[in-house]
Amino acid sequence: MKTAALMSGRAKTIAAKAPKRNDDRVILHFDYDCFYASVLENANPGLKGQPLGVKQKSILATCNYAARAHGVKKLMSISEAHKICPGLVVISGEDLTPFRDASKRLWSFLRSHSWSNRAERLGLDEVFLDVTEVIAYNQELLNRNALQDSFFQLSRHDPEKGFGFDATQFFGCVQPSVDPTDLVLLLDNPLCVRLLLASHLAGYLRLKLEEDFGYTSSGGVSTNKTLAKLAGSINKPQNQTTLLSLREYDVQDFMDGHKLRQIPGIGSRIAQLIQDHVLSIKTTPDPHGLEIGAKVTAREVRQFASMSADLLERILNRPGAERGSGEKVWNLLHGVDSSEVKEASDVPTQISIEDTYMARPLNTPSELMRELRALATSLIRRMRVDLVVTYDPDPSDLSSQQNTQQHLRWAAYPKTLRLSTRARPKPNGTSTPTPEIFSRNSRSQPLPSFALNLKDASIEAVAERLASEALLPLFRRLHPERQGWNLALINVCVANMVMVAGPGETGSGAGARAARDIGRMFRTQEDKLREWTIYDNTPVASVLDTAFSSANVADIVKSIPQSEEEEKREDTIDAMDELVEASEPIAVLLDSDVDAWEDSDEDESQRCHLCGHIIPIFAISAHERFHSIGD
């Protein structure tokens, strides 16, 4: 009896430490099956049914299920894949444009079914959808006397827009499984009703994705993003799973079966620190990072002696760690995730272009500059696809009617340019392999105004200038050595988007805003001028501007003089970058577009949508008049 009482008390103690989960929301997760291969198959239907691989550089980025049936796997070398499957069709996937375009079409369709306009893309092939409102509406309409002939309404205003379904059963798989004879009783539980309705909505949307667009998908249904994503991974491909959380232990049992690294939101570094503590050893990850967090389960971590949010906080405490990481991980171990599905926007929060060089790392200035030009060209082209819109010119403006180039304008522009690199470890001179480095080093600066020039400059001309005047100086701050960098990855990114008012938005509203912002402009004038002083017209940019076109990159790097003042300025900029990077969370969040440089304050100035120059709000009308009368 005494032992039983002790165990009961221990159970209560553990339960008291568990965080409380909120099951008020309904979240759907969609993962397109073999997305890259499916895009190519839809473009060329003759490929369907054949083993197909998509290559990037000398490895397979992905492959379809027909290829996987022969033993072909992602990240295999092309030569090895052909040995395993001689009939494998391999197509280059270097150009991501068709994949991005297809992803945007599918996302737009799914987005239209969230009444709260919350539809969030995770990469190119995954989407979260918050359908809480549409589910609540149909929950009120459900007729308990005619469950088999139920009708799901997709619109509040059009009662005929929707689909029929059988509400006596779930669509797809259910975890944990439910006896059909018990379902009628379970329908007395409001949460069960919401999840049942959501399963049929997910099934309907997946069917439409296949019939109307030609893409099969896997789906997950639950009450938060983490649970929905994990549920969707159980029965892949071309199936879906609804995770029930009707009993207190249902979600916990589900989470306990997952390895630490499988849980979204727990990155490789966090997983390694926790794993090392639980196993009481110092682990060394394999070159591909597959063993990081793969040796312990959520149950083993949760039930480890004295484990708690506070202990996790101490385990994860290191320079640059985000405060509260321990509590976040503790919540995830219990299936608790309060993060919202981001509200859908036609403007991305950032645009990122990268390339990897695993087979042959970059080491020379000529190789570096070639890649910087290529990445800059892709970045500028993508900016003009995603951020530039057309507009109808003012009928009274004859000059704009004659110049079709002026019919383009920026719907939004990025404020920040960021360069990130990852270097492979150099040989240590011993037979012991050096562990692979997976962290990236980054430097940022304001995006130069010329990158937004739509009037006179071609994509190639802007990219050439961006590579030489902005990306190369950023690279020099990351890698001061002249060569031998052993680069395995380069990423260029623009972020911190600012929405631009459309042409012709004038009148009392615009005037009131201008009057309101004039005072703020003068109060922050010093800060604005400091921004220009640090980053624009530096000696480095000046030297590159005059010498780059005719000189070798290596000669440029050697010839750029650095005064003590310049070195101090670069040291100051580097210190600021380190402070910003130190504030970044060490968790790998579900929100893939989170940016540490996000600025929540409203701007008191605005870039001209024609020439790209920054103009005070009160002067926008006069500046547009300047363009209308010609240069």
Side-chain angles (χ1 to χ4, degrees):
M1 294 292 294
K2 187 175 182 180
T3 303
L6 182 62
M7 291 298 294
S8 176
R10 176 176 173 79
K12 291 180 180 178
T13 302
I14 293 175
K17 293 180 180 179
K20 184 174 178 57
R21 191 180 63 256
N22 184 348
D23 287 335
D24 292 341
R25 295 179 297 161
V26 181
I27 309 298
L28 308 183
H29 175 262
F30 298 90
D31 186 352
Y32 313 134
D33 298 326
C34 299
F35 178 63
Y36 280 40
S38 295
V39 172
L40 297 176
E41 288 174 350
N42 282 330
N44 185 357
L47 294 173
K48 291 186 177 182
Q50 299 187 49
L52 174 65
V54 183
K55 73 170 184 176
Q56 291 179 345
K57 296 293 188 289
S58 58
I59 63 172
L60 282 180
T62 187
C63 56
N64 63 8
Y65 284 100
R68 296 180 193 185
H70 288 80
V72 179
K73 297 180 180 179
K74 293 190 295 184
L75 305 183
M76 241 183 205
S77 67
I78 302 298
S79 57
E80 184 180 1
H82 274 303
K83 289 180 181 178
I84 296 176
C85 181
L88 179 69
V89 179
V90 178
I91 299 179
S92 174
E94 299 284 349
D95 182 10
L96 296 180
T97 301
F99 309 117
R100 289 194 180 103
D101 293 341
S103 175
K104 194 171 184 178
R105 287 196 305 273
L106 301 182
W107 170 77
S108 296
F109 165 75
L110 293 174
R111 165 189 178 178
S112 65
H113 291 83
S114 172
W115 290 2
S116 60
N117 196 37
R118 293 192 175 274
E120 177 184 345
R121 278 192 290 180
L122 186 63
L124 295 180
D125 59 348
E126 296 182 55
V127 173
F128 289 107
L129 207 62
D130 188 327
V131 293
T132 305
E133 292 185 16
V134 65
I135 294 300
Y137 183 78
N138 280 274
Q139 186 176 7
E140 295 179 357
L141 299 178
L142 189 64
N143 185 354
R144 296 292 298 268
N145 297 317
L147 293 177
Q148 288 184 322
D149 299 316
S150 298
F151 186 80
F152 195 105
Q153 291 193 15
L154 296 173
S155 170
R156 290 190 182 98
H157 312 293
D158 184 358
E160 295 185 358
K161 184 178 181 181
F163 59 92
F165 70 100
D166 181 359
T168 63
Q169 58 185 352
F170 280 84
F171 190 103
C173 304
V174 181
Q175 177 80 16
S177 59
V178 176
D179 190 328
T181 59
D182 296 335
L183 185 58
V184 176
L185 297 177
L186 290 176
L187 289 178
D188 291 331
N189 186 319
L191 175 58
C192 181
V193 175
R194 293 200 301 272
L195 292 174
L196 182 142
L197 291 170
S199 75
H200 286 279
L201 177 58
Y204 167 80
L205 294 176
R206 290 179 48 248
L207 183 63
K208 297 295 286 184
L209 287 174
E210 182 175 2
E211 291 181 346
D212 297 351
F213 298 93
Y215 292 90
T216 63
S217 61
S218 304
V221 181
S222 192
T223 56
N224 65 48
K225 291 166 68 174
T226 295
L227 295 178
K229 180 174 171 61
L230 289 176
S233 65
I234 298 176
N235 295 289
K236 297 178 68 174
Q238 205 170 350
N239 206 335
Q240 68 178 59
T241 303
T242 301
L243 177 62
L244 293 182
S245 49
L246 306 181
R247 296 167 297 190
E248 190 64 31
Y249 53 84
D250 283 342
V251 170
Q252 193 59 72
D253 288 347
F254 174 72
M255 293 300 303
D256 281 348
H258 287 85
K259 299 291 186 181
L260 197 59
R261 190 63 180 91
Q262 292 177 315
I263 301 175
I266 298 182
S268 58
R269 179 57 176 160
I270 285 182
Q272 184 177 13
L273 291 172
I274 297 174
Q275 177 176 282
D276 289 355
H277 182 85
V278 171
L279 298 179
S280 300
I281 58 173
K282 179 65 177 177
T283 58
T284 301
D286 70 294
H288 299 291
L290 299 178
E291 294 299 321
I292 297 176
K295 296 181 179 179
V296 294
T297 63
R299 181 191 300 273
E300 291 171 317
V301 176
R302 186 176 58 83
Q303 295 183 348
F304 187 76
S306 303
M307 184 56 69
S308 65
D310 291 338
L311 178 57
L312 285 170
E313 188 72 23
R314 293 194 294 272
I315 293 172
L316 302 178
N317 185 28
R318 65 184 182 92
E322 179 193 21
R323 287 187 178 182
S325 295
E327 183 178 2
K328 289 182 179 180
V329 173
W330 184 244
N331 287 342
L332 291 174
L333 293 175
H334 291 82
V336 175
D337 177 15
S338 60
S339 61
E340 296 284 347
V341 176
K342 294 177 63 176
E343 193 165 351
S345 171
D346 292 323
V347 175
T349 57
Q350 66 178 28
I351 297 175
S352 178
I353 305 292
E354 71 177 36
D355 205 347
T356 55
Y357 317 97
M358 301 301 294
R360 189 172 183 271
L362 302 183
N363 279 300
T364 66
S366 58
E367 293 173 337
L368 168 68
M369 207 58 214
R370 180 192 67 228
E371 295 304 319
L372 288 181
R373 289 193 197 100
L375 291 170
T377 301
S378 296
L379 181 68
I380 297 299
R381 181 176 292 113
R382 199 66 207 174
M383 285 170 57
R384 295 191 179 188
V385 169
D386 289 350
L387 303 178
V388 173
V389 296
T390 58
Y391 69 95
D392 294 328
D394 185 348
S396 63
D397 187 355
L398 297 180
S399 62
S400 65
Q401 292 180 359
Q402 295 171 357
N403 188 351
T404 57
Q405 188 69 21
Q406 287 189 348
H407 296 179
L408 301 176
R409 70 172 182 87
W410 294 97
Y413 69 88
K415 294 195 298 183
T416 301
L417 173 69
R418 182 170 66 235
L419 174 72
S420 303
T421 64
R422 189 178 76 223
R424 297 189 66 180
K426 298 178 180 179
N428 55 18
T430 67
S431 58
T432 304
T434 305
E436 189 69 84
I437 300 173
F438 291 95
S439 60
R440 301 185 183 192
N441 296 316
S442 302
R443 288 292 182 269
S444 304
Q445 71 165 60
L447 181 69
S449 298
F450 63 76
L452 302 176
N453 184 5
L454 295 175
K455 187 176 180 181
D456 303 314
S458 66
I459 291 177
E460 291 72 18
V462 173
E464 177 76 22
R465 193 175 173 189
L466 186 69
S468 60
E469 296 185 19
L471 295 177
L472 183 59
L474 281 175
F475 182 85
R476 289 186 62 250
R477 287 164 51 197
L478 278 172
H479 303 278
E481 62 273 20
R482 295 177 179 176
Q483 58 183 6
W485 309 292
N486 214 30
L487 296 178
L489 175 144
I490 300 179
N491 174 286
V492 293
C493 171
V494 288
N496 297 341
M497 301 295 175
V498 177
M499 299 301 295
V500 178
E505 289 186 15
T506 57
S508 59
R513 177 179 176 182
R516 183 180 72 242
D517 290 339
I518 289 175
R520 294 183 64 227
M521 183 193 71
F522 283 110
R523 285 196 302 272
T524 60
Q525 185 179 38
E526 183 178 352
D527 292 334
K528 287 293 180 182
L529 291 177
R530 184 181 300 116
E531 172 183 311
W532 288 100
T533 303
I534 291 176
Y535 292 107
D536 270 36
N537 300 323
T538 63
V540 171
S542 177
V543 171
L544 286 170
D545 189 34
T546 57
F548 182 82
S549 60
S550 59
N552 183 274
V553 177
D555 297 332
I556 294 174
V557 175
K558 294 177 183 178
S559 65
I560 296 177
Q562 279 203 315
S563 65
E564 291 184 4
E565 181 180 357
E566 290 170 350
E567 292 177 354
K568 289 180 181 178
R569 179 165 57 217
E570 288 202 0
D571 290 342
T572 301
I573 296 173
D574 289 342
M576 292 170 63
D577 283 334
E578 290 170 3
L579 284 174
V580 172
E581 290 171 2
S583 68
E584 292 180 340
I586 57 178
V588 179
L589 303 177
L590 280 172
D591 180 2
S592 60
D593 288 332
V594 166
D595 192 273
W597 291 75
E598 196 66 44
D599 186 359
S600 59
D601 293 334
E602 187 178 276
D603 275 355
E604 49 276 317
S605 59
Q606 179 175 300
R607 288 191 192 270
C608 173
H609 62 276
L610 297 177
C611 65
H613 289 291
I614 293 181
I615 307 297
I617 292 294
F618 70 88
I620 285 291
S621 298
H623 186 76
E624 290 181 348
R625 177 62 180 163
F626 164 76
H627 281 297
S628 69
I629 63 177
D631 294 336

